[in-house]
Amino acid sequence: MPVELPGFYFDTSRNRYFPLSSKLKDPLPQPVPVPISDDYLIHSRKRRRISSWHSNETTRTSHSIGERYQASHDFVCSQYANTTRVLEKKVPVFGRIKSFSSMTLDGNTHRFIGDSRGWLYSSAESESVLFRADVNLQPESEVSSISTYGARCIATSFGPSAKIAVQDLNMTGRISLLSLTGLHDIWSSHFEEASLVLGVSTKAVYMSDIDAFAVQHLETQSDVFAVRQHGTVIFAGCRNGNIMQFDKRLGKRGQKLHTNRFSKQQRTSVLHLEMLTDWQVLTSYMNGGLMTFDLRFTREGSPLVQYHGHHNTYTQRLGIAIDPSHEFLFAAGEDRRIRAWSVHTGRPLISSSSHDDMDDPFNRVFPGVVETMQVTAEREGLCLWAGHDQTLYQIYLGQQ
């Protein structure tokens, strides 16, 4: 009987001692395959079910965090791609739906709609009224954007004079209507904390405090179709294709980003900007380009990820939305369809089921162009809201 020595083990086949660190570990047990019944395989939606089962099984048996995340992501992609549950709501508006926003305050959901005739509507979960008309910003001029933060909703109008409606949800019925002298055609807005950025004709406008009403002009030499603020930085997407970056602390002198991308292609208008991370921005262009760029390389024009299949040639307003976790991208096209992609991989979400196109929100042709969209977290899961004409579509992602 060999003597036990601390830190060593005795190998009887070789009749000597070896360090414990050199001893081979027991292999991991192999996963037991789960059988699939014949009835399961011959189901009318067998392709989708097999794909979902495969992703779910990979999630269970994967050992690395990366493998588990990818398998889980693929499973959700499959579920979202096969969405069929869609609720259509006719909204009592005077014009056509041009903008939509939803927010939650103290557990109560508030939704806002802006129409083509200047009316702003609101609806609260605690009220029985679907939508009520709150204020007209400017007769016969569309409500071009709605931006919410905290307890406030900011709506802007497009027209010969710049009008802004400020609604404080903590004060029932309180709506302030502001006018900006010398400015016109507000295309876009982004409200965060107390500061507001506007995209207007030939420039961007920064208000560090909406209550103080201090206005600073940021010169772009082109109409600004898209704006976004992130910390101390303001981004402006312009009609001439430039993306301008401004530092709030340094004043109105801006820097052009990713100028090298025009070396081999024609300039086209920037329609949408969305921050995905501190260094990654999503951009949409009038020529149908939909891609992300790395903000750490200000001159580099090569995109990180491109989302192929988006349709646009001349339409300035098309709905674009990203889910709250920044994993899925949804974009409405000029061809009256909504498409979806994985944000990280750029792969489109394509249904593998055989249901009718009218049941599939990502394959159906809508009656007209969808101009506004947003993804919200509801009690029943994530929903994609899409507005067209006087109809609001509520798409329950991953549900049938």
Side-chain angles (χ1 to χ4, degrees), residues 51-114:
S51 175
S52 300
W53 175 87
H54 176 74
S55 298
N56 198 27
E57 180 66 8
T58 305
T59 304
R60 273 197 325 111
T61 59
S62 295
H63 300 297
S64 75
I65 295 176
E67 287 177 339
R68 286 198 298 271
Y69 168 78
Q70 188 59 53
S72 176
H73 183 72
D74 290 344
F75 177 76
V76 178
C77 286
S78 174
Q79 294 295 100
Y80 283 7
N82 290 280
T83 298
T84 58
R85 185 184 175 193
V86 180
L87 181 63
E88 297 183 21
K89 300 178 181 180
K90 283 291 183 181
V91 184
V93 293
F94 298 117
R96 293 176 288 110
I97 297 174
K98 305 295 287 187
S99 51
F100 171 83
S101 183
S102 178
M103 62 176 288
T104 301
L105 179 66
D106 298 330
N108 192 19
T109 300
H110 300 263
R111 308 194 202 280
F112 303 91
I113 285 177

Side-chain angles (χ1 to χ4, degrees), residues 62-289:
S62 295
H63 300 297
S64 75
I65 295 176
E67 287 177 339
R68 286 198 298 271
Y69 168 78
Q70 188 59 53
S72 176
H73 183 72
D74 290 344
F75 177 76
V76 178
C77 286
S78 174
Q79 294 295 100
Y80 283 7
N82 290 280
T83 298
T84 58
R85 185 184 175 193
V86 180
L87 181 63
E88 297 183 21
K89 300 178 181 180
K90 283 291 183 181
V91 184
V93 293
F94 298 117
R96 293 176 288 110
I97 297 174
K98 305 295 287 187
S99 51
F100 171 83
S101 183
S102 178
M103 62 176 288
T104 301
L105 179 66
D106 298 330
N108 192 19
T109 300
H110 300 263
R111 308 194 202 280
F112 303 91
I113 285 177
D115 74 4
S116 58
R117 299 183 64 180
W119 284 95
L120 176 67
Y121 308 81
S122 67
S123 173
E125 199 173 32
S126 58
E127 301 174 351
S128 57
V129 180
L130 181 58
F131 278 96
R132 66 168 184 269
D134 288 333
V135 65
N136 187 279
L137 278 70
Q138 196 159 225
E140 305 305 321
S141 293
E142 69 178 62
V143 176
S144 55
S145 71
I146 301 176
S147 184
T148 59
Y149 188 90
R152 285 178 166 181
C153 170
I154 308 292
T156 64
S157 72
F158 183 86
S161 60
K163 295 289 183 67
I164 304 172
V166 182
Q167 184 172 359
D168 191 336
L169 298 179
N170 286 329
M171 301 180 182
T172 305
R174 177 179 173 180
I175 302 178
S176 303
L177 196 58
L178 310 176
S179 296
L180 297 179
T181 306
L183 299 176
H184 59 91
D185 293 343
I186 302 179
W187 300 92
S188 57
S189 67
H190 186 220
F191 181 57
E192 190 173 78
E193 296 182 350
S195 62
L196 175 67
V197 178
L198 303 173
V200 302
S201 177
T202 71
K203 68 189 69 177
V205 174
Y206 171 52
M207 303 171 66
S208 58
D209 189 338
I210 190 71
D211 295 317
F213 207 62
V215 178
Q216 182 178 2
H217 294 186
L218 307 176
E219 298 299 333
T220 61
Q221 308 302 317
S222 178
D223 296 342
V224 177
F225 288 161
V227 290
R228 187 66 51 175
Q229 52 180 324
H230 187 71
T232 61
V233 180
I234 294 171
F235 299 97
C238 304
R239 182 194 291 271
N240 64 9
N242 287 335
I243 298 177
M244 301 291 294
Q245 175 180 291
F246 299 88
D247 192 317
K248 296 178 181 179
R249 301 161 297 183
L250 300 179
K252 59 184 180 181
R253 184 176 178 82
Q255 175 187 12
K256 296 178 183 179
L257 300 180
H258 310 126
T259 53
N260 288 350
R261 73 186 187 280
F262 297 126
S263 59
K264 296 182 180 180
Q265 60 180 322
Q266 187 177 1
R267 284 179 174 265
T268 182
S269 301
V270 181
L271 302 181
H272 186 84
L273 295 172
E274 187 88 24
M275 295 300 300
L276 301 179
T277 66
D278 288 338
W279 52 269
Q280 189 176 10
V281 62
L282 171 74
T283 60
S284 169
Y285 296 90
M286 192 173 283
N287 65 356

Side-chain angles (χ1 to χ4, degrees), residues 318-329:
L318 290 172
I320 291 183
I322 297 178
D323 72 308
S325 62
H326 290 177
E327 292 194 26
F328 298 96
L329 167 65

